[in-house]
Amino acid sequence: MSATGTATAAISDTLIDEIRGVVGAEGLITDPAATRVYECDGFVLARKSPQLVVLPASREEVAATLRLLWQAEVPFVPRGAGTGLSGGCLPLQAPVMVGTSRLRRIREVDVANRRAVVEAGVVNLHVTRAVAEHGLLYAPDPSSQGACTVGGNVAENSGGPHTLKYGVTTNHVLGIELVLPDGRVVELGGVVDDVPGYDLRGFAIGGEGTVGLVTAATLRLVPVPAAVRTMMAVFGSVDDACRAVSAIIAAGVIPAALELMDRLIVQAVEDAYGFGFPTGAGAVLIVELDGLADGVAEQVEAVEALCRESSADEVRVARDEAERAALWKSRKKAFGAVGRLAPNYCTQDGVVPRGSVPEILRRISAVAERQRLRIANVFHAGDGNIHPIILFDERDEDEVRRVLDAGREILEACVDLGGSVTGEHGIGVEKIEQMPLIFSPTDLRVMAELRAVFDPLSRCNPGKILPTPGACVELGAPRRQVPL
Amino acid sequence: MTAAGSAEPQLGGVKTVASDAQGPLGASGVTPSATAVVESADDVVEVVRAAGAAGAALVATGCGARMSVGWPPARCDYALSTRRLDRVLEHRAEDLTVTVEAGVTLDELDRALAERGQCLPFDPAEPDRTTIGGLIAADACGPLRHSTGKVRDSLLGLDVVMGSGERLRAGGKVVKNVAGYDIGKLLVGSVGTLGVVVSATFKTRPRPQRETILAWPQATVAAAIEAAFELDRAGVGAAFLEAVPAARSEALGIDGAAALVVGLQGFAADVSAQSRRLEELSRGQAKEVASAAQLVATALRDCAVLEPERDSLRSRVALPPSELAGWVDRAVGEAGTRGLAIEVCAHAAIGVARIQVAPAEGAATGLLAEWMRSSARALGGWVIHESVPAALRRDLDPWGQSGVVVELMRGVKRVFDPEGVLSPGRFVGGI
Ligand SMILES: Cc1cc2nc3c(=O)[nH]c(=O)nc-3n(C[C@H](O)[C@H](O)[C@H](O)COP(=O)(O)OP(=O)(O)OC[C@H]3O[C@@H](n4cnc5c(N)ncnc54)[C@H](O)[C@@H]3O)c2cc1C
């Protein structure tokens, strides 16, 4: 999947004028130099510039824009911050991108009921910042939380280190305001969790932008835990660290987070941020325990003992908030540090049953060796959600091919161990080929039909998630002529 | 359909037994001609296909504990009993997951999970009569919802036979999975209108190290709700906070017109600390209840179905939590002026109440039901009438949902069950 250039279809000047009438000149990008910025998201192996980027500033502007596109029969792609890692934002079969960067309002914070209504373009971390003074936080915390948007989180059903205890986005979104591809606005779910009817909100969350454009979401907020202790355990090998993970879960402890970094990552992170990890460590576990003070103290002791029983060389509990923040920075910015190791990287996102983590790591090493690639691992060990980071240089075509092969082999191994091909990054364009590994033709057909309930003409982010038997038909000769 | 003249009546090659009016479907007000007792996923496929081919309507049922939910089925030619789908397929203790067939009851599953020191995070009423299929279809929940969420929050995957007779797999068996659309969510609370669940995978959790229950006498249920809200906001980490009326507080051995019952679960150190904290915050009024925590918990979860055999109106109301106490006060007043006796239990800090209106002649019950819905909607909340007295069953909408979302829901139904074989008419908008 290499660079595919700009979209071939053209959009009429009338349509552009009409859209300008809705969003104003400041909400429209047509200059090819400027639309280039939107040619890819965090999945850099495929690029394509949209012809037109529209940035509406309100729900009404979104609705009016989508109505115009609907009438003109022009497909579009929703976009948040573009941090997605599976190519969900790639304007594959759609010349128009509708971005949420001007939907930035926090409409309401209801402290008493621990809810916030925020627009789709609000950055994840800004929600937590806005409610911190009330002792609340928004739990889903993707490592990209300083940049990614709530709309993107909803579309991807994103997770993060703390999902082990708190759950993913779908567990924290009560309602969404969705503009259907034909411009109608619907409320799915609500401000309570007992809305009659099929859980359409649950279906739309994780829909990867293919069921409409989310303009706002009602989020559940949780109280900041009374006590939090974060600790680091250093191991000689990844196997030992994995044994500690299993022992912790088996002991009935559910940490808030349980993250593993392997040798390559620890080294890169240490070079970048100088946290003070011992050089040459085989693996580092970050364990966070939260809850009520007494229980947390009890669990810290238990976890420390379990780590030592699993041959940890060192176990260190962060002394204060500054040290805790530094530790989390090394984890959450680990992807950034990878830039020091190679010009490019590509992350996989498979999941295996927790007990199979050591096995999948062994298989990943074998793949790395066979494909002559370097693969680093930093991941949500407590959830069995791996993130092998495959390092490469995009100028080396042969290497790029091996990267794609390695990714496929790793995902096949995950499926083989009873897992899934994606835990939080989504299928996008990247993993479409792997969908048949876990779903039957019936499953896939039903998914397509359900999507069509929202988007009968595939106008919203076409070409994502599902393998389409007629993919080439759609690519080369669209069933419905798009007026140019 | 029924093989004529043969000793063994069948549907799609699966043995059927005669249904009786008192059987599992009794509560729904309809009586099927026969019940197919399936023992495997293939059986389910055969039965659903046979029903579809015959243009017959089929209603799936477990033990029948929640057949009253929704409109009465518009038609019901056959019932499908899941009770023989009774295996716990795989408990991966180290992964905190379990895969279980639809006919297993919550009690049965709990016993299996206990062997490895785990449990499910659900505690709906009548665990001995609630099957996994019923739990999912009715979106049943109990007091523990306060801390562990709803069915949707712990459901990982489903094996389903759709109304079309095809087998569908939704989700998977691992704790995190975003591959494709989250179809499992659609089945939760769908009251059997989309598919017959064959098996499901859930997250499990470690059994709490310690648990205890405290009761705090209150003047009214509304006052108990208020107290719960304050405790929760003060950071008391309870497993559940239940407001219960006089009738129940007596049964629990508690004095007072009403009570707030607080469940504490977790690490021993936390439970003792919270228990002390609670005694402090209540100025000594909250006390550990004498009877075994397990017994009290069971009594509490059954609050929602006090005297289920009576022809009462039972409703679930969900509001923004800060509105609940005031609303309950008003509801008690509204019932009083209409001469109706009502009883309220509540998952007090999360804004959910269960209302039971004692059987009464005349139009009063229907009017109160409508008041409940419109007043709750005005606050952004919803009311589902989970059990409607026979006299109101044709007129009182159990759901109260309308608009474009119902149109979308009809679309969903068409995908799963294009011929309308499964539980026709029971759901939102007559789906
Ligand atoms: C360094 C790094 C670390 C990351 N760590 C994590 C992690 O820990 N956990 C995790 O889950 N993910 C992680 N991600 C992935 C990514 O950040 C998430 O998927 C995030 O939710 C994407 O948000 P976004 O605003 O950037 O969305 P985008 O990338 O802009 O879009 C993602 C998808 O959502 C759709 N979309 C966006 N906005 C809307 C909307 N308003 N309505 C409808 N559809 C919409 C798009 O069409 C696209 O398909 C990481 C990414 C990076 C680069």
Side-chain angles (χ1 to χ4, degrees):
Chain A
M1 213 179 289
S2 59
T4 29
T6 49
T8 40
I11 302 161
S12 77
D13 289 343
T14 334
L15 178 61
I16 295 182
D17 287 342
E18 284 172 332
I19 294 177
R20 189 181 293 112
V22 171
V23 297
E26 64 280 19
L28 207 60
I29 303 173
T30 50
D31 175 6
T35 57
R36 272 286 299 275
V37 174
Y38 298 87
E39 68 177 3
C40 69
D41 55 17
F43 177 70
V44 295
L45 288 173
R47 293 168 203 264
K48 179 172 180 173
S49 295
Q51 288 178 40
L52 182 69
V53 178
V54 189
L55 304 171
S58 67
R59 164 189 52 210
E60 290 70 26
E61 288 187 15
V62 171
T65 302
L66 298 203
R67 244 187 328 268
L68 288 170
L69 293 171
W70 178 259
Q71 283 154 6
E73 303 184 10
V74 175
F76 68 95
V77 184
R79 177 175 166 118
T83 68
L85 292 172
S86 53
C89 285
L90 194 71
L92 204 58
Q93 301 164 22
V96 176
M97 187 168 277
V98 182
T100 58
S101 57
R102 293 169 76 213
L103 294 169
R104 286 261 164 156
R105 276 188 322 135
I106 293 184
R107 288 191 196 154
E108 187 193 344
V109 176
D110 180 349
V111 177
N113 293 306
R114 295 184 180 146
R115 318 251 189 278
V117 183
V118 312
E119 290 186 343
V122 172
V123 168
N124 174 299
L125 190 57
H126 295 181
V127 179
T128 286
R129 286 213 186 116
V131 301
E133 59 172 310
H134 307 294
L136 298 171
L137 60 82
Y138 176 57
D141 63 337
S143 300
S144 51
Q145 69 183 148
C148 67
T149 65
V150 168
N153 296 167
V154 168
E156 299 288 6
N157 192 11
S158 299
H162 288 83
T163 56
L164 172 57
K165 177 164 176 183
Y166 291 93
V168 293
T169 300
T170 194
N171 307 114
H172 297 271
V173 173
L174 287 165
I176 58 182
E177 181 183 273
L178 181 78
V179 182
L180 295 171
D182 62 8
R184 285 181 299 172
V185 181
V186 291
E187 296 274 348
L188 306 181
V191 300
V192 298
D193 209 350
D194 296 81
V195 178
Y198 301 130
D199 184 5
L200 299 179
R201 148 202 59 153
F203 180 79
I205 296 170
E208 302 194 27
T210 64
V211 294
L213 197 138
V214 176
T215 44
T218 302
L219 310 178
R220 214 193 280 275
L221 305 171
V222 298
V224 175
V228 183
R229 300 296 290 283
T230 309
M231 53 209 286
M232 166 195 91
V234 182
F235 296 86
S237 73
V238 162
D239 264 2
D240 287 344
C242 287
R243 270 199 295 135
V245 169
S246 302
I248 292 168
I249 301 281
V253 176
I254 308 268
L258 189 47
E259 302 279 307
L260 196 154
M261 304 198 277
D262 75 358
R263 184 187 303 273
L264 256 178
I265 286 289
V266 171
Q267 193 59 54
V269 163
E270 190 52 29
D271 291 347
Y273 311 116
F275 175 78
F277 293 119
T279 44
V284 167
L285 265 191
I286 297 178
V287 189
E288 186 156 283
L289 298 158
D290 72 10
L292 303 162
D294 304 87
V296 168
E298 203 172 288
Q299 293 176 65
V300 166
E301 269 175 40
V303 168
E304 183 164 353
L306 292 167
C307 286
R308 294 207 189 276
E309 277 165 33
S310 309
S311 317
D313 297 324
E314 185 191 344
V315 182
R316 204 202 300 172
V317 182
R319 266 162 308 179
D320 50 26
E321 187 49 38
E323 208 171 286
R324 172 174 177 252
L327 196 52
W328 273 118
K329 180 175 163 198
S330 8
R331 163 61 186 95
K332 293 204 174 175
K333 300 227 155 135
F335 284 20
V338 166
R340 303 175 155 255
L341 299 177
N344 307 94
Y345 69 84
C346 158
T347 312
Q348 283 303 344
D349 176 41
V351 189
V352 294
R354 285 178 251 242
S356 304
V357 169
E359 174 62 19
I360 191 69
L361 291 176
R362 274 191 288 276
R363 296 204 194 178
I364 291 170
S365 309
V367 168
E369 213 165 290
R370 198 165 50 243
Q371 297 288 357
R372 290 172 288 121
L373 293 165
R374 281 190 304 159
I375 302 183
N377 289 287
V378 45
F379 65 102
H380 312 305
D383 287 320
N385 186 189
I386 58 164
H387 284 341
I389 302 177
I390 312 176
L391 308 172
F392 67 101
D393 181 341
E394 68 179 350
R395 290 163 302 188
D396 181 343
E397 268 180 43
D398 178 61
E399 193 169 58
V400 169
R401 195 184 44 70
R402 281 181 281 126
V403 169
L404 292 169
D405 287 345
R408 257 193 302 275
E409 288 170 19
I410 291 170
L411 295 182
E412 281 165 13
C414 290
V415 173
D416 185 43
L417 292 170
S420 170
V421 297
T422 174
E424 52 182 26
H425 297 168
I427 297 294
V429 294
E430 184 203 19
K431 294 182 276 279
I432 288 184
E433 274 180 52
Q434 276 78 41
M435 285 290 276
L437 294 180
I438 42 179
F439 293 112
S440 73
T442 307
D443 300 341
L444 295 172
R445 195 203 74 226
V446 168
M447 285 188 195
E449 289 178 6
L450 288 171
R451 181 267 176 103
V453 168
F454 293 80
D455 182 16
L457 301 174
S458 292
R459 290 284 176 68
C460 191
N461 211 359
K464 306 295 164 65
I465 305 182
L466 297 171
T468 33
C472 38
V473 180
E474 286 193 358
L475 273 173
R479 272 169 298 180
R480 190 163 297 270
Q481 279 300 310
V482 176
L484 302 180
Chain B
M1 291 312 309
T2 306
S6 113
E8 291 248 295
Q10 294 190 337
L11 177 61
V14 174
K15 202 180 106 195
T16 64
V17 296
S19 308
D20 70 275
Q22 308 314 314
L25 276 170
S28 68
V30 294
T31 309
S33 67
T35 298
V37 184
V38 296
E39 294 184 10
S40 67
D42 289 342
D43 280 359
V44 180
V45 169
E46 291 308 320
V47 169
V48 174
R49 289 210 173 136
L58 182 72
V59 175
T61 171
C63 301
R66 289 179 176 74
M67 288 314 298
S68 66
V69 176
W71 294 102
R75 294 176 298 127
C76 176
D77 303 302
Y78 294 98
L80 176 155
S81 167
T82 59
R83 263 312 258 144
R84 301 282 284 277
L85 294 170
D86 55 4
R87 291 171 305 159
V88 176
L89 297 175
E90 189 182 18
H91 178 203
R92 285 191 191 231
E94 72 290 354
D95 202 29
L96 294 167
T97 61
V98 66
T99 303
V100 55
E101 287 188 326
V104 175
T105 65
L106 283 172
D107 267 353
E108 289 161 356
L109 180 57
D110 190 61
R111 281 195 289 277
L113 296 175
E115 283 171 25
R116 307 281 302 273
Q118 296 184 355
C119 58
L120 269 196
F122 311 118
D123 62 344
E126 304 183 281
D128 55 330
R129 294 181 64 222
T130 301
T131 59
I132 292 299
L135 171 87
I136 294 167
D139 190 15
C141 58
L144 261 188
R145 176 180 165 183
H146 172 83
S147 56
T148 54
K150 300 184 74 184
V151 172
R152 75 188 294 284
D153 296 307
S154 298
L155 180 68
L156 298 173
L158 284 176
D159 185 350
V160 175
V161 176
M162 300 186 289
S164 61
E166 294 164 294
R167 222 165 139 180
L168 175 82
R169 202 188 118 180
K173 291 185 176 177
V174 281
V175 295
K176 229 168 143 188
N177 188 359
V178 295
Y181 299 94
D182 193 351
I183 294 181
K185 296 280 187 295
L186 296 173
L187 274 292
V188 178
S190 64
V191 293
T193 56
L194 296 180
V196 179
V197 173
V198 175
S199 68
T201 302
F202 293 98
K203 293 188 199 177
T204 61
R205 56 173 201 146
R207 283 185 115 77
Q209 226 178 51
R210 234 192 99 189
E211 66 187 303
T212 186
I213 293 180
L214 288 90
W216 181 0
Q218 302 284 334
T220 61
V221 170
I225 294 170
E226 202 110 46
F229 191 77
E230 309 262 293
L231 287 184
D232 189 49
R233 271 36 184 180
V236 173
F240 58 78
L241 288 165
E242 285 289 289
V244 298
R248 277 289 123 172
S249 45
E250 270 165 45
L252 298 171
I254 303 159
D255 296 331
L260 173 62
V261 183
V262 185
L264 301 175
Q265 298 182 346
F267 291 92
D270 282 340
V271 170
S272 340
Q274 290 306 293
S275 173
R276 279 194 304 277
R277 178 108 201 279
L278 204 60
E279 283 180 31
E280 237 170 72
L281 286 168
S282 68
R283 288 174 302 283
Q285 295 179 66
K287 295 217 168 56
E288 274 194 41
V289 294
S291 19
Q294 266 309 320
L295 292 179
V296 181
T298 308
L300 270 178
R301 54 208 273 188
D302 288 342
C303 257
V305 288
L306 264 181
E307 306 178 67
E309 72 283 1
R310 293 176 69 194
D311 194 29
S312 52
L313 170 71
R314 292 207 302 272
S315 310
R316 186 202 297 188
V317 51
L319 294 172
S322 66
E323 305 285 357
L324 187 64
W327 185 89
V328 165
D329 248 345
R330 283 161 61 208
V332 170
E334 288 286 331
T337 49
R338 295 189 161 90
L340 295 169
I342 73 165
E343 197 154 62
V344 182
C345 298
H347 309 322
I350 58 169
V352 178
R354 314 256 181 188
I355 316 284
Q356 290 198 69
V357 184
E361 299 289 310
T365 306
L367 291 172
L368 182 66
E370 266 149 38
W371 175 86
M372 286 196 240
R373 177 161 290 145
S374 56
S375 57
R377 292 296 298 125
L379 297 168
W382 290 90
V383 170
I384 298 174
H385 300 302
E386 292 186 316
S387 185
V388 174
L392 293 175
R393 223 169 261 162
R394 302 259 150 245
D395 301 316
L396 179 60
D397 182 350
W399 307 107
Q401 183 64 275
S402 61
V404 180
V405 292
V406 175
E407 229 176 274
L408 295 172
M409 288 173 195
R410 274 186 223 291
V412 169
K413 168 75 173 179
R414 272 195 296 275
V415 171
F416 278 84
D417 185 18
E419 309 294 330
V421 175
L422 295 177
S423 294
R426 258 184 105 183
F427 205 48
V428 166
I431 286 172

